[in-house]
Amino acid sequence: MRFLLVDRIAEHVSDTSIRGWKNVAMSEDYLEWHFPEQPIMPGMLILEACAQLAGWLEAASSDCERWFHLERVRSGRYYDFALPGDRIDITLERVADEDPARRVYRAETSVDGKRGATLEFEGRVTPLADLEDPAIARRTWKQLRGEQA
């Protein structure tokens, strides 16, 4: 099963930055066990949402020719919880790196203006066509932007 952990992309600047959000819904399966009677979105899924947003920045910057693969987390700090009903706002920017096949990203999350997490991670860029049909990715991109697919 593929989890799409980005619900909306608000804006992006090609090869530079992207901003989007994830809505935490009580109906998401993982909340049943994380934790019973006190549901909290797992920090690793917040990291995954940020990595997916990095993938969308790569795709949008290349007409869906590239995707990002997370390989290493350089740093991660979590300051507050994300609960059902919260909207996690994510701001992600690319950090300069010497290797053109690698990417480094810095992400910050917040809920209602309150800092949630700061993350820095790196990975490699791969052809999107090796993972899925670029036409499907283009349609999904439009949906994430609130456009007609």
Side-chain angles (χ1 to χ4, degrees):
M1 172 183 261
R2 180 176 178 207
F3 288 100
L4 181 58
L5 295 175
V6 175
D7 292 319
R8 182 60 59 129
I9 295 172
E11 63 185 45
H12 79 286
V13 177
S14 188
D15 289 317
T16 303
S17 64
I18 192 166
R19 191 172 57 84
W21 65 78
K22 161 71 178 132
N23 294 308
V24 183
M26 187 63 185
S27 61
E28 294 177 90
D29 294 342
Y30 55 82
L31 290 176
E32 181 179 354
W33 301 108
H34 197 272
F35 295 96
E37 298 182 31
Q38 292 184 346
I40 298 168
M41 182 157 177
M44 290 307 297
L45 291 181
I46 293 171
L47 171 63
E48 174 64 20
C50 294
Q52 287 182 16
L53 201 56
W56 286 114
L57 179 57
E58 289 296 331
S61 300
S62 66
D63 191 31
C64 290
E65 290 184 16
R66 301 186 311 248
W67 192 258
F68 171 79
H69 278 276
L70 176 67
E71 290 182 330
R72 184 177 146 224
V73 177
R74 289 181 167 190
S75 66
R77 297 203 187 277
Y78 294 87
Y79 300 95
D80 206 357
F81 297 117
L83 308 173
D86 286 345
R87 183 179 105 171
I88 303 170
D89 293 305
I90 306 167
T91 302
L92 183 117
E93 64 181 22
R94 187 171 160 192
V95 178
D97 193 60
E98 295 150 10
D99 184 350
R102 301 208 38 89
R103 296 290 189 269
V104 178
Y105 286 102
R106 183 175 299 121
E108 294 184 7
T109 72
S110 64
V111 173
D112 293 329
K114 189 175 180 185
R115 181 168 58 177
T118 57
L119 305 160
E120 189 170 295
F121 51 90
E122 65 182 78
R124 62 179 158 57
V125 177
T126 59
L128 179 59
D130 290 353
L131 305 169
E132 71 175 75
D133 182 351
I136 293 171
R138 284 185 196 95
R139 281 196 303 275
T140 303
W141 169 257
K142 285 184 177 184
Q143 292 168 339
L144 290 171
R145 295 281 297 151
E147 303 167 6
Q148 289 288 358

